[in-house]
Amino acid sequence: MIEDAAPRVFWTDRPGAPGPYEPLHGRTTADLLVVGGGFTGLWAAVLAKQENPACDVVLVEARSVAYGASGRNGGFVADSLTHGIGHGARLWPAENAALLALGRANLAAIARFVDDHGIDADLRLVGKTTVAVAPHQVEELRRAEKLHREHGEDAVFLGRDEMRADVDSPTYLAGLRLRGTGGLLDPAGLAWGLARVAARLGVRVHEGTEVTALTRTRTGVEARTGGRAVVHAGQVLLATNAFPSPLRRLGLFMLPVWDYVLVTEPLSAEQRASIRWPEGQGLTDAGNQFHYYRLTRDDRVLWGGYDAIYNFGGGGSEQRDASHERLARHFFATFPQLRGLRFTHRWGGVIDSTSRFTPFFGTAMGGRLAYALGYTGLGVGASRFGALVGLDLLAGRSTARTRPRMVRRHPVPFPPEPLRWPVVELTRRALARADDNEGRRGPWLRVLDHLGIGFDS
């Protein structure tokens, strides 16, 4: 089923990338060095220059702009900073309303920026739908509707027939339609647009430049690269996300997880009509192991998720036949009317997760370095917020962004290897058992819940 699919990322398998930007050579200085050319790094560079055009900003990226999760994701953009209202209400009940307001303002600012700068990111704020594919999930969606409505959101529970009248799959038992809480975009289009804006503002962008060491100096931080270039920076913002950080202790708080994706050929008019889907919103399953899927602007279906693979030591492969074949089987089980449709692209990539499923922030090197990492699948939107938090921390500002406990406190660290892999595998198996047991969380998951580690979307 996947043999015709090119082992390439759909979003970046086209012309139009900015640059290429030359690697950094020799020695240079900067007021601010941004390490990482994904969403967080690009937003940080742009926002720093917008705040202070005189700030000399250098951005370095080990591969190319949008190489990592920023160019490989499904293109879902959310207003949540807490991985969902329910999760935020459980972990930070006193601050959940403020975090919701910050997330909504952040998404609105992204939409304005895209419009103001004419970025072709195919941004569509069409919300999303979560579908129940098991009986116990129906009641979960009813409870979720109530929670979303209590927080002022446009949430509508859809029964089986109503759900299938919107998007037609024999697997659907119910749905929760959320409007006004996010949408879809072309992630590479956004990253490439941010890079072009950064360059216009005067940011010095260098690809193929991996920072291998950071050292605090009397006047700032010295960064050394694998190509023997050196940057003397007054301040540094780390935006390496799932990739190994030159500040190694941060790896204790992040789990590199491999996520896999398929993209189909464009649907014919008849195929498109057979699944309905008039608003073109993104969809996700309601289980612990879930799929995410959406239409592209040319009516392909992007279908990803379910397998979230952690390998011993964190390594992995961009191509994993077992995961891609499983995704293909699940796709045609969900949409049997599309059987015979070909897949044109398949890929995988590493994303980062934290033990609480939300990002974490902090400073090091006497406040000269700040970091924002660990978006756990919601970085398309939350990365802008993370960049602003990092800039606030570097400036020593107490703001509405830096005061919440979510920002001030780190998640529980993961154990190092050789303990990490068996603990993660135990948790993964427990989540799968919960899906198969009407959502009932077993002893291990209840322990994690008690420690504030469990996940409740």
Side-chain angles (χ1 to χ4, degrees), residues 365-398:
M365 297 188 175
R368 297 280 189 172
L369 180 147
Y371 50 85
L373 308 163
Y375 295 99
T376 317
L378 290 189
V380 176
S383 53
R384 180 185 177 276
F385 175 82
L388 284 167
V389 169
L391 294 174
D392 284 344
L393 293 174
L394 288 175
R397 293 188 289 247
S398 175

Side-chain angles (χ1 to χ4, degrees), residues 273-294:
S274 74
I275 58 175
R276 302 191 174 101
W277 214 342
E279 295 180 86
Q281 75 274 20
L283 285 91
T284 63
D285 305 336
N288 293 312
Q289 290 183 289
F290 64 93
H291 304 95
Y292 57 84
Y293 45 112
R294 46 85 52 96

Side-chain angles (χ1 to χ4, degrees), residues 241-242 244 248-257 310-315 350-355 360 412-428 444:
N241 216 37
R248 293 189 178 183
R249 69 175 182 267
L250 299 181
L252 291 172
F253 300 99
M254 290 193 302
L255 188 75
V257 176
Y310 174 73
N311 299 297
F312 187 90
V350 64
I351 64 173
D352 57 351
S353 182
T354 69
S355 62
F360 69 102
V412 175
F414 292 100
E417 298 290 16
L419 292 177
R420 179 177 289 204
W421 185 85
V423 168
V424 172
E425 187 65 11
L426 173 64
T427 304
R428 188 188 68 80
W444 177 243

Side-chain angles (χ1 to χ4, degrees), residues 423-438:
V423 168
V424 172
E425 187 65 11
L426 173 64
T427 304
R428 188 188 68 80
R429 290 175 184 268
L431 289 168
R433 282 196 300 272
D435 281 339
D436 293 337
N437 192 29
E438 299 182 343

Side-chain angles (χ1 to χ4, degrees), residues 133-359:
V133 293
H136 70 273
Q137 295 169 4
V138 176
E139 186 55 37
E140 291 174 3
L141 293 188
R142 288 188 183 277
R143 292 195 298 269
E145 179 198 30
K146 181 175 183 293
L147 182 63
H148 281 276
R149 285 180 171 274
E150 288 172 352
H151 288 83
E153 296 194 344
D154 181 1
V156 179
F157 176 84
L158 305 173
R160 178 181 179 275
D161 292 343
E162 294 171 302
M163 183 65 235
R164 292 193 62 177
D166 184 30
V167 184
D168 190 16
S169 167
T171 66
Y172 295 166
L173 303 179
L176 179 64
R177 182 73 173 97
L178 298 174
R179 294 180 174 86
T181 58
L184 301 168
L185 54 70
D186 175 335
L190 176 59
W192 291 352
L194 282 166
R196 290 189 175 97
V197 173
R200 285 201 300 269
L201 292 172
V203 176
R204 291 183 281 154
V205 180
H206 296 281
E207 296 175 322
T209 303
E210 180 182 7
V211 172
T212 56
L214 294 167
T215 306
R216 183 180 175 183
T217 68
R218 184 175 58 82
T219 57
V221 179
E222 179 183 272
R224 293 186 173 273
T225 77
R228 298 186 179 180
V230 178
V231 183
H232 292 278
Q235 296 178 319
V236 173
L237 195 146
L238 272 184
T240 49
N241 216 37
F243 292 94
S245 167
L247 201 62
R248 293 189 178 183
R249 69 175 182 267
L250 299 181
L252 291 172
F253 300 99
M254 290 193 302
L255 188 75
V257 176
W258 289 81
D259 180 56
Y260 294 91
V261 186
L262 295 171
V263 170
T264 73
E265 64 187 337
L267 303 181
S268 68
E270 293 76 17
Q271 289 169 327
R272 181 72 166 79
S274 74
I275 58 175
R276 302 191 174 101
W277 214 342
E279 295 180 86
Q281 75 274 20
L283 285 91
T284 63
D285 305 336
N288 293 312
Q289 290 183 289
F290 64 93
H291 304 95
Y292 57 84
Y293 45 112
R294 46 85 52 96
L295 294 166
T296 65
R297 75 171 86 195
D298 59 348
D299 276 345
R300 301 169 186 263
V301 181
L302 179 148
W303 177 268
Y306 197 80
D307 278 356
I309 306 298
Y310 174 73
N311 299 297
F312 187 90
S317 171
E318 295 174 8
Q319 301 301 325
R320 189 172 187 271
D321 287 351
S323 291
H324 286 135
E325 288 167 358
R326 183 176 293 110
L327 281 172
R329 290 195 301 271
H330 292 178
F331 176 83
F332 288 117
T334 302
F335 295 123
Q337 63 269 50
L338 299 181
R339 187 160 294 280
L341 190 68
R342 295 185 314 114
F343 297 103
T344 62
H345 292 78
R346 56 184 167 92
W347 72 89
V350 64
I351 64 173
D352 57 351
S353 182
T354 69
S355 62
R356 69 186 186 197
F357 292 85
T358 60

